[in-house]
Amino acid sequence: MKLKPKILKKLESIVGDDDISTDPAELYIYGSDASVHQAMPWVIVRPRTIKEVQEIMRCANTELIPVIPRGGGSGTSGHAVPIDGGIIMDLKQMNRIIEIKPQDLLCKVEPGVTMDDLNRALEPYDLWYPTPPESGRVATVGGTIANNGSGVKAVKYGAARDYVMGMKVVLANGDLVTLGSASKGEASGYQLHRLMVGSEGTLGIIVEVTMSLRRIPKFAAMGIAKFNKLEDAGEAISGMVSSEVTPSTLELIDDIGIIALNKTLNMKLPEVEAIVIFECDGRTKEIVNSDIEVLKQICEHHNAFGIEVSTDPKEMTRIYTGRKKLFAALSRYKEGFACTSLADDMAVPNSKVAECARKIHEIGERHNVIMNAYGHCGAGILHTKILMDPTKKEQWEDAKCAVDELYDYVKSVGGTTSGEHGIAISKAPSWKKEKADSLGMMGAVKKALDPNNILNPHKLMDAPDDWVTATNLRYPVRT
Ligand SMILES: Cc1cc2nc3c(=O)[nH]c(=O)nc-3n(C[C@H](O)[C@H](O)[C@H](O)COP(=O)(O)OP(=O)(O)OC[C@H]3O[C@@H](n4cnc5c(N)ncnc54)[C@H](O)[C@@H]3O)c2cc1C
C-alpha cells in the first residue's frame, strides 16, 4: 500500500469508515475483472453521492493518485485493473433509479444500477432498455456506457450509444459538468455526452445518466436453425441481415460452444457444426410470424435443417439463459484448459461474418489453442475465447500470436477490434495498430480533460505494447 496515512484519513473522512477498505483480500479481488489481468490497488472507496465523488477526485488530483472507476468488474480486457495501483472507486452504491418518465420514454439513473435491476424497475411501466449485455446481472449502467456495450438484441436495438441522451460527469479535477439533455432533439455543439461513451473510465466519472427507453414489444417468436457447415450459418446470418426483415436477435453458436453448453448445462442442443438463433418481435402475432417465416426460408436457402420455431416464453428464456452462461461453460470444454478472455470480441462487415467465423477456428488450430466462434453476429459482432493450458508459458506466446493474427485479419476486411467489450489492456496493441492515425487526437482529448493522467491510466492508447507482461496474469504460470 503506497498511500500516505494522511491521504487515507482524508478519503475516510469523505466516504466514512464503512465505505473504505485496505483489506488485502478485498484489494486482491478488486485487482482483477473478467480478463486475464491482475494488479493490486492501494485502497477501495465506495462513494454514495456526487459530492463524495467530487471530493475524492479533488484529493486524488492534488496528490496525483490514479483513480479507477469500477462498476460490476465484468470487463473482459482489464478495464478496471489498476496497472499502477491507486484508488478503486467502486460505484455500485450509487444505484438509485432517480426517475422514470413513461411519456418521455426516458429514465434518469445513477451509474451503479445493474442493467437487470434497471429492466426490472422499468417493466411495470411497459418499458425496457432493450440491449443490456449478457452480463446484466452484474454489469452496471456506468460500466456499460463506458464500454459502449450491447447484447443479443443489438441487431435491432443497437448499443449503449443509441440510448444515452445526457449525463452528469465528475472530471479529473473534481468539477461537475452536465452533458447532453433530456431532449432527443438536441443537435448542436460537440456531442460531449457521446465522447464519454466508450471512454472506459479515462475521461471522467459518470455519476448520473438520462437514457431513452423503448416500449416492450407485445409478441416474439424464436427460431433455431441447425447447420452442418459453419460457413453456411454465417452466410445465412448475412442473408437475414440484408433482407427486408429486421430480426430482434441473430446469434451464432459453433460446435465448440454447443458441446460446452450441453456438457455443463445439459441443454440438449443439436450437436451440429453451428446453430443460429433468430428472433423477431413486434406489435402483432401476424407480423412476427410472417417475419419469422421469411428468416426461416433464408436459413433453408443456406442449407439449414430441422428449424424449430417457438413462441413459448419458457423455452425462449431457457435458450437465452444458456447463451448467457456460454463464457463460463467454455471453461469445462476440455479438462485442464482455462477459458481466457482473449481476442474475445470484434466486429466485421456483414458480408464477412461467415469468413471471420471460419478464420477464428483456423487461427486457433494454427497456434495450438482452441478458439470458438459465437456472438451477436446479426450486428456484425463476433466473439471468441482462447481455451488453453494457462500454466504453460508457451501457451501465452501461442495466445499472443493468435490474438495478433486474428485482429490483423479483422482490420484487413474493414472490421474493428471491439464490437462491444472495449479495449482496455489486452486488446490495446491491436487497437492501436487499427487507429494509428487518430491516437494523437485521442491523446489530446485525454490531456485536455485529465492533464495529470490520473483517470484509469495505461488503458486504450496509453496501454503497454505487450499485454502479456503489462500486469500479473490471473493464472499460476510455470516458467
Ligand atoms: C459472462 C460475460 C458476458 C458478457 N456479455 C456482454 C455482452 O453481451 N455485451 C457487452 O457489451 N458486454 C458483455 N460483457 C462485458 C462486460 O460485462 C460489459 O462491458 C459491461 O457492460 C461492463 O460493465 P461493468 O459495470 O461490469 O463495468 P466494469 O468492468 O466495472 O468497468 C468497465 C469500464 O467502465 C469504466 N467505468 C465503470 N463505471 C464507470 C463510471 N460510472 N464512470 C466512468 N467509467 C466507468 C471502468 O473504469 C472500466 O474501464 C460480458 C462479460 C462477461 C464476463
Side-chain angles (χ1 to χ4, degrees):
M1 204 274 284
K2 292 176 189 157
L3 270 188
K4 293 183 206 140
K6 114 173 162 198
I7 295 167
L8 202 55
K9 272 255 163 290
K10 171 79 185 157
L11 293 172
E12 200 176 300
S13 74
I14 297 170
V15 293
D17 45 356
D18 280 350
D19 289 329
I20 187 163
S21 174
T22 53
D23 172 3
E26 255 195 294
L27 294 180
Y28 181 79
I29 289 164
Y30 276 74
S32 57
D33 54 9
S35 70
V36 298
H37 299 287
Q38 213 286 332
M40 287 296 263
W42 304 337
V43 62
I44 303 155
V45 292
R46 302 188 177 95
R48 290 169 187 263
T49 64
I50 293 177
K51 197 164 165 282
E52 287 179 7
V53 173
Q54 288 183 274
E55 284 183 40
I56 295 164
M57 290 314 300
R58 279 189 202 113
C59 168
N61 200 39
T62 309
E63 302 292 339
L64 303 180
I65 302 165
V67 178
I68 295 88
R70 180 175 167 118
S74 65
T76 51
S77 312
H79 296 79
V81 173
I83 290 195
D84 269 353
I87 300 170
I88 294 275
M89 186 186 285
D90 177 356
L91 291 145
K92 286 197 298 294
Q93 299 206 112
M94 291 181 70
N95 62 356
R96 278 183 319 133
I97 292 175
I98 300 164
E99 62 179 354
I100 297 171
K101 288 184 148 182
Q103 201 181 355
D104 293 330
L105 291 176
L106 65 79
C107 66
K108 202 179 271 184
V109 299
E110 290 187 330
V113 177
T114 68
M115 302 311 293
D116 284 3
D117 281 348
L118 175 63
N119 269 337
R120 265 190 289 275
L122 295 173
E123 203 179 345
Y125 300 87
D126 191 29
L127 292 170
W128 67 329
Y129 174 81
T131 185
E134 297 310 283
S135 50
R137 199 166 66 83
V138 295
T140 61
V141 167
T144 302
I145 292 171
N147 276 358
N148 198 4
S150 63
V152 291
K153 310 278 183 198
V155 56
K156 179 170 180 179
Y157 293 105
R161 62 179 167 263
D162 303 308
Y163 296 86
V164 175
M165 299 169 72
M167 58 173 78
K168 287 188 176 163
V169 175
V170 174
L171 300 177
N173 64 5
D175 285 356
L176 178 67
V177 291
T178 305
L179 311 176
S181 70
S183 167
K184 272 196 168 173
E186 175 162 321
S188 303
Y190 302 143
Q191 301 286 293
L192 293 178
H193 57 299
R194 291 206 165 223
L195 180 62
M196 300 305 296
V197 178
S199 63
E200 302 190 8
T202 61
L203 298 182
I205 315 275
I206 300 163
V207 288
E208 189 185 291
V209 187
T210 302
M211 297 167 86
S212 67
L213 304 167
R214 302 287 285 259
R215 288 266 162 230
I216 298 175
K218 295 256 173 310
F219 299 98
M222 175 191 275
I224 300 187
K226 302 165 201 164
F227 294 85
N228 277 331
K229 276 189 169 173
L230 183 59
E231 286 86 346
D232 284 345
E235 295 297 348
I237 288 171
S238 297
M240 287 189 265
V241 172
S242 53
S243 77
E244 75 271 24
V245 168
T246 305
S248 45
T249 294
L250 196 39
E251 290 279 313
L252 171 81
I253 305 181
D254 71 357
D255 50 355
I256 297 170
I258 293 168
I259 291 169
L261 285 171
N262 284 348
K263 202 166 166 181
T264 315
L265 301 173
N266 193 22
M267 278 197 68
K268 300 190 171 60
L269 294 171
E271 298 205 349
V272 287
E273 208 171 276
I275 57 167
V276 170
I277 302 168
F278 54 99
E279 187 207 79
C280 292
D281 65 15
R283 222 162 27 84
T284 68
K285 262 188 204 163
E286 290 69 28
I287 295 173
V288 169
N289 287 342
S290 110
D291 283 355
I292 282 281
E293 194 49 41
V294 172
L295 300 186
K296 221 176 130 185
Q297 282 171 17
I298 295 171
C299 286
E300 281 163 355
H301 176 74
H302 290 284
N303 306 319
F305 62 98
I307 300 176
E308 287 169 30
V309 173
S310 174
T311 52
D312 175 7
K314 268 198 195 148
E315 175 59 7
M316 287 160 73
T317 304
R318 184 181 84 85
I319 298 295
Y320 281 130
T321 307
R323 167 62 186 84
K324 275 182 208 285
K325 294 181 176 166
L326 182 51
F327 184 172
L330 285 164
S331 57
R332 297 277 304 276
Y333 181 75
K334 185 172 170 185
E335 202 60 40
F337 271 38
C339 169
T340 61
S341 184
L342 291 169
D344 65 309
D345 153 67
M346 68 216 78
V348 294
N350 182 43
S351 58
K352 296 293 175 190
V353 165
E355 184 184 278
C356 186
R358 175 55 69 197
K359 271 272 178 231
I360 290 173
H361 280 201
E362 278 172 23
I363 290 171
E365 277 161 31
R366 199 159 30 253
H367 296 290
N368 312 310
V369 293
I370 298 171
M371 292 173 75
N372 66 318
Y374 69 109
H376 321 313
C377 295
I381 300 170
L382 273 114
H383 295 321
T384 183
K385 295 284 174 285
I386 294 190
L387 278 53
M388 62 175 185
D389 180 348
T391 62
K392 290 191 177 143
K393 201 171 171 216
E394 60 270 23
Q395 283 268 272
W396 289 93
E397 283 308 312
D398 293 334
K400 199 168 156 214
C401 294
V403 170
D404 288 348
E405 191 177 333
L406 180 57
Y407 285 130
D408 282 349
Y409 159 76
V410 166
K411 181 169 178 281
S412 75
V413 296
T416 182
T417 321
S418 172
E420 57 175 20
H421 289 180
I423 302 299
I425 305 170
S426 50
K427 287 198 285 183
S430 305
W431 180 78
K432 285 198 271 187
K433 242 197 245 178
E434 181 197 323
K435 301 290 180 202
D437 63 357
S438 58
L439 293 178
M441 198 168 157
M442 289 190 244
V445 173
K446 168 77 173 164
K447 202 162 177 53
L449 294 180
D450 179 17
N452 292 326
N453 193 22
I454 58 164
L455 274 166
N456 208 5
H458 310 301
K459 306 289 161 68
L460 292 167
M461 60 278 172
D462 297 328
D465 287 332
D466 184 352
W467 58 264
V468 181
T469 53
T471 63
N472 294 327
L473 295 168
R474 274 208 294 134
Y475 306 86
V477 186
R478 284 195 291 268
T479 49

